[in-house]
Amino acid sequence: MACVLEAPLRMSVLSEVTASSRHYVDRLFDLDPQKVLQGVIDMKNAVIGNNKQKANLIVLGAVPRLLYLLQQESSSTELRTECAVVLGSLAMGTENNVKSLLDCHIIPALLQGLLSPDLKFIEACLRCLRTIFISPVTPEDLLYTGPDHQTILFNHGAVQNIAHLLVSTSYKVRMQALKCFSVLAFENPQVSMTLVNVSVDGELLPQIFVKMLQRDKPIEMQLTSAKCLTSMCRAGAIRTDDSCIVLKTLPCLVRMCSKERLLEERVEGAETLAYLIETDVELQRIASITDHLIVMLADYFKYPSSVSAITDIKRLDHDLKHAHELRQAAFKLYASLGANDEDIRKKIIETENMMDRIVNGLSESSIKVRLAAVRCLHSLSRSVQQLRTSFQDHAVWKPLMKVLQNAPNEILIVASSTLCNLLLEFSPSKEPILESGAIELLCSLTQSENLALRVNGIWALMNMAFQAEQKIKSDILRGLSTEQLFQLLSDSDVNVLMKTLGLLRNLLSTRPHIDHIMSTHGKQIMQAVTLILEGEHNIEVKEQTLCILANIADGTTAKELIMTNDDILQKIKYYMSHSNAKLQLAAMFCISNLIWNEEEGSQERQDKLRDMGIVDILHKLSQSSDPNLCDKAKTALQQYLA
């Protein structure tokens, strides 16, 4: 019986709760406009700071009615304004409140309100919009977020209209204008190039931003100004060696990484600095020796502090909340710092427990931290020295291979790039990676719809095949399948094509391997070579293809596949007389390998090629002004004389 009574009990509680709120909603439907207005005002006073009341009113259907009144032209401006204020107050409640408002299509109604001539109503709509958009449950794409939207704002005079607000007497106004510029300029060269030349009261914007960077200014202002200058620098609007970047922006951002700053400021400072120096070697070097930055960043991994040291629960909660953001920011900045310089990479790796931190970062629950850790590992994996030492000592290939299983594309792209480096021939990680099933994984990447993943998959296989034993080469060919190889050779992207040709070239090296592979896949490989030499491809692609032919010609039995293919021989002859010296040289390598007289059957091959007119071309090339062509032709002719 108790189970039967449970539902009615709940219903009575709900009806008690909502009954006290119902009269607020009923008054919204009164025929007297003055009573409606008073009802909205009373509702406003009832919901301030009262989440329970807010939830009740939403359940009772107050939102659709408030939005209806807000959009009616017959409603007085005062009523419309009060409706916007109440809606804004409802939005300040729980995330569920915001979801309910979004479900009622509040955004278009508020945006429409911005067209009103009444400033108080516009302000109420803007406040409500702001509250909704700072909620994590609001989809970002509902408002201006991408480059197209930046351009729309730019084309409507946003820069000119906001610029004068930077010298407003109100700090709040100056800050909002500054924030607006930092968002408008981010990754937008058009806006950045314009900002450089805008002046306010005779002073250019970059000079105003630099003044806002000064130590006596509030931290929020320093950081946001640094972000504006960073975006302008990355867009090419300000040179990387400009004093406002080297002497002002960079030191300011390093300051933001210090222990004295709040955790939020340290996160933003490190991420902005990572973006500023990401592509510039000199800025990376300057940053690495400013205020012991590399050591300073190690502190980012020490949050939350040990619980025993924290008596304040709020502090612990705050530290926990920001701990993953700090690790993410530190990994990002380490990745930028170590992108090019070997000495900086060494300093990073020698920082306390650095490799352990990266390994731990690779298995974190936060995707953002995992991605940043992989980026950091990728940056450090460019070091030959570290691949041979630290990477091997910490067996980083194990967690990396784990990351490559079922990761989102953005992580897969960076992780597979890192794997390419770990598979270079001098890397001790190469063998254990092979034993852990990497071939199958990489072959599957070559079938991805994502271009970067296809490139990385084939690139890693190319590195794997370099100077590899025959079994590995056979496993690669088996894993790829002839069909997939042809698919890659006909890929529309030249990077995929070049890496696939590089793979073929590495597979077809050392005579026993060449002969073995051509005995099993010769027909298909010759078909692919013909296809490329006949197609509309650039010089580099055709040169690589001719080099593959030269490798085949170096085989003992494999060279017969060329000698019995008149079509291929005619193509080699054609490229010997080509206008491009690189192609001529590659074609001559083929001929040299075919006619080398120490090898069995060389006389017959020489005779056949003489009959084709090859010797005449060699005589002609021996007179070439290009020393490489001349030497190669003379060496080939000596084979006929020997």
Side-chain angles (χ1 to χ4, degrees):
M1 286 300 288
C3 290
V4 177
L5 288 169
E6 205 171 67
L9 277 170
R10 278 189 187 153
M11 285 295 288
S12 65
V13 171
L14 183 64
S15 56
E16 270 180 47
V17 171
T18 53
S20 62
S21 310
R22 189 175 296 284
H23 73 281
Y24 287 115
V25 180
D26 291 343
R27 289 166 72 187
L28 299 180
F29 292 89
D30 201 292
L31 295 174
D32 183 347
Q34 204 52 42
K35 286 182 180 175
V36 174
L37 174 62
Q38 192 55 51
V40 176
I41 292 169
D42 290 347
M43 186 183 281
K44 175 181 73 176
N45 295 331
V47 297
I48 291 172
N50 190 335
N51 277 352
K52 195 174 179 182
Q53 187 70 279
K54 289 175 187 179
N56 288 342
L57 290 170
I58 288 170
V59 167
L60 290 166
V63 176
R65 184 62 182 171
L66 287 167
L67 283 172
Y68 172 80
L69 294 169
L70 180 137
Q71 293 176 89
Q72 289 305 299
E73 287 184 18
S74 57
S75 297
S76 67
T77 305
E78 190 181 358
L79 174 59
R80 295 169 80 188
T81 305
E82 292 294 347
C83 285
V85 171
V86 174
L87 288 164
S89 189
L90 294 176
M92 283 182 183
T94 64
E95 289 182 359
N96 281 335
N97 290 9
V98 177
K99 283 179 184 171
S100 300
L101 293 171
L102 291 170
D103 290 342
C104 292
H105 307 293
I106 190 171
I107 305 272
L110 292 171
L111 290 174
Q112 193 64 31
L114 301 181
L115 299 173
S116 164
D118 188 87
L119 282 178
K120 277 193 173 177
F121 178 50
I122 289 172
E123 189 180 341
C125 288
L126 284 170
R127 283 182 188 278
C128 187
L129 278 167
R130 183 179 180 276
T131 305
I132 290 167
F133 273 104
I134 58 175
S135 167
V137 299
T138 307
E140 289 180 352
D141 57 2
L142 287 174
L143 205 60
Y144 298 131
T145 52
D148 292 348
H149 297 133
Q150 288 173 318
T151 306
I152 291 167
L153 288 169
F154 173 77
N155 291 340
H156 281 79
V159 171
Q160 289 72 18
N161 285 312
I162 296 167
H164 72 279
L165 300 176
L166 287 170
V167 292
S168 165
T169 52
S170 161
Y171 170 75
K172 278 187 174 181
V173 172
R174 289 202 304 279
M175 260 323 299
Q176 293 309 322
L178 195 56
K179 283 179 180 176
C180 203
F181 278 133
S182 82
V183 172
L184 270 176
F186 182 66
E187 291 186 345
N188 194 313
Q190 186 186 21
V191 173
S192 295
M193 292 293 186
T194 304
L195 290 182
V196 175
N197 300 311
V198 172
S199 63
V200 181
D201 295 345
E203 201 168 20
L204 289 168
L205 281 193
Q207 294 168 325
I208 294 173
F209 293 150
V210 167
K211 280 186 178 176
M212 290 175 158
L213 279 179
Q214 290 168 357
R215 288 170 186 257
D216 61 340
K217 296 289 187 285
I219 295 299
E220 179 189 32
M221 183 172 273
Q222 289 184 47
L223 247 176
T224 315
S225 304
K227 285 171 86 170
C228 290
L229 289 161
T230 293
S231 289
M232 291 163 77
C233 178
R234 283 300 304 266
I238 300 175
R239 286 168 56 100
T240 54
D241 59 357
D242 191 298
S243 62
C244 78
I245 297 296
V246 178
L247 302 177
K248 302 289 183 183
T249 310
L250 188 147
C252 168
L253 290 170
V254 173
R255 281 202 307 276
M256 296 303 147
C257 298
S258 72
K259 258 185 177 176
E260 286 69 47
R261 300 271 52 88
L262 296 173
L263 300 187
E264 298 92 318
E265 293 161 359
R266 295 174 79 184
V267 168
E268 203 169 349
E271 293 207 334
T272 308
L273 182 55
Y275 180 55
L276 174 66
I277 68 173
E278 187 179 18
T279 57
D280 190 88
V281 187
E282 198 48 42
L283 288 180
Q284 289 158 12
R285 286 184 185 137
I286 295 167
S288 73
I289 55 169
T290 304
D291 293 352
H292 309 288
L293 176 65
I294 290 174
V295 177
M296 196 195 296
L297 282 176
D299 190 65
Y300 277 49
F301 296 95
K302 295 175 183 174
Y303 293 87
S305 312
S306 59
V307 179
S308 57
I310 297 179
T311 49
D312 184 354
I313 280 295
K314 275 190 177 176
R315 160 95 186 280
L316 174 61
D317 187 51
H318 177 264
D319 283 10
L320 280 167
K321 187 181 170 190
H322 288 94
H324 73 276
E325 291 176 5
L326 283 161
R327 291 195 293 277
Q328 178 192 342
F331 282 138
K332 276 187 183 175
L333 186 43
Y334 276 137
S336 287
L337 283 164
N340 294 287
D341 190 285
E342 191 67 26
D343 290 335
I344 297 175
R345 289 188 197 118
K346 191 169 182 289
K347 282 181 192 168
I348 292 170
I349 284 173
E350 287 171 356
T351 306
E352 55 173 317
N353 305 325
M354 191 61 211
M355 291 308 289
D356 290 332
R357 282 170 176 156
I358 294 173
V359 167
N360 292 336
L362 293 175
S363 55
E364 284 219 18
S365 56
S366 162
I367 281 189
K368 288 182 176 179
V369 177
R370 283 210 309 276
L371 178 59
V374 174
R375 282 204 172 123
C376 184
L377 190 66
H378 179 238
S379 182
L380 300 175
S381 74
R382 294 181 180 133
S383 161
V384 175
Q385 181 59 32
Q386 301 311 330
L387 282 174
R388 284 181 171 149
T389 53
S390 306
F391 275 52
Q392 187 62 10
D393 296 342
H394 291 81
V396 294
W397 64 269
K398 285 183 183 175
L400 185 67
M401 287 298 288
K402 199 175 175 185
V403 165
L404 282 159
Q405 312 293 332
N406 305 317
N409 274 4
E410 57 180 343
I411 289 182
L412 267 181
I413 289 165
V414 191
S416 54
S417 286
T418 312
L419 194 62
C420 287
N421 292 344
L422 265 64
L423 286 167
L424 290 165
E425 87 281 3
F426 50 74
S427 167
S429 306
K430 186 171 181 175
E431 204 161 308
I433 291 172
L434 279 166
E435 289 165 5
S436 67
I439 292 176
E440 189 183 343
L441 172 78
L442 295 170
C443 288
S444 69
L445 287 185
T446 67
Q447 298 177 35
S448 171
E449 287 182 17
N450 183 289
L451 173 59
L453 287 178
R454 286 204 307 282
V455 171
N456 286 350
I458 202 72
W459 195 341
L461 288 169
M462 181 184 89
N463 287 351
M464 192 184 278
F466 184 74
Q467 293 183 353
E469 57 191 62
Q470 190 171 299
K471 184 189 177 299
I472 292 168
K473 292 181 177 182
S474 298
D475 287 347
I476 291 172
L477 276 170
R478 201 176 302 115
L480 263 186
S481 81
T482 313
E483 189 185 344
Q484 178 59 10
L485 196 61
F486 270 95
Q487 196 71 43
L488 292 165
L489 288 170
S490 55
D491 199 286
S492 57
D493 184 79
V494 73
N495 279 328
V496 174
L497 179 53
M498 282 296 282
K499 294 291 178 283
T500 309
L501 291 170
L503 168 64
L504 268 178
R505 195 172 168 183
N506 286 350
L507 290 170
L508 294 164
S509 63
T510 73
R511 282 186 181 169
H513 296 179
I514 295 167
D515 290 334
H516 175 76
I517 288 169
M518 291 308 287
S519 70
T520 54
H521 294 81
K523 188 184 171 189
Q524 296 93 329
I525 290 172
M526 294 304 285
Q527 209 177 329
V529 166
T530 308
L531 205 70
I532 291 166
L533 291 177
E534 284 177 351
E536 293 291 319
H537 295 290
N538 65 32
I539 298 297
E540 285 71 24
V541 167
K542 297 212 170 180
E543 181 191 16
Q544 188 82 298
T545 309
L546 287 166
C547 287
I548 289 169
L549 269 182
N551 282 16
I552 295 168
D554 193 37
T556 306
T557 55
K559 54 168 54 84
E560 285 310 308
L561 285 163
I562 297 177
M563 290 307 299
T564 54
N565 189 327
D566 288 342
D567 186 23
I568 285 286
L569 287 172
Q570 287 298 333
K571 283 179 171 54
I572 295 171
K573 180 184 174 183
Y574 164 76
Y575 284 109
M576 283 177 76
S577 304
H578 198 275
S579 56
N580 185 281
K582 282 184 177 178
L583 296 182
Q584 286 179 286
L585 206 55
M588 291 236 286
F589 271 110
C590 297
I591 295 298
S592 292
N593 285 345
L594 291 172
I595 62 174
W596 208 253
N597 58 28
E598 290 171 11
E599 292 167 11
E600 195 182 330
S602 61
Q603 191 60 54
E604 290 86 349
R605 290 192 292 275
Q606 287 182 7
D607 292 345
K608 181 169 182 176
L609 293 171
R610 181 189 280 111
D611 294 344
M612 280 179 63
I614 296 294
V615 175
D616 296 336
I617 299 172
L618 287 173
H619 278 296
K620 199 174 172 184
L621 289 171
S622 67
Q623 308 299 316
S624 170
S625 57
D626 184 308
N628 288 332
L629 282 175
C630 179
D631 289 350
K632 197 71 187 165
K634 284 177 180 174
T635 306
L637 283 170
Q638 280 168 7
Q639 297 304 308
Y640 275 95
L641 299 170

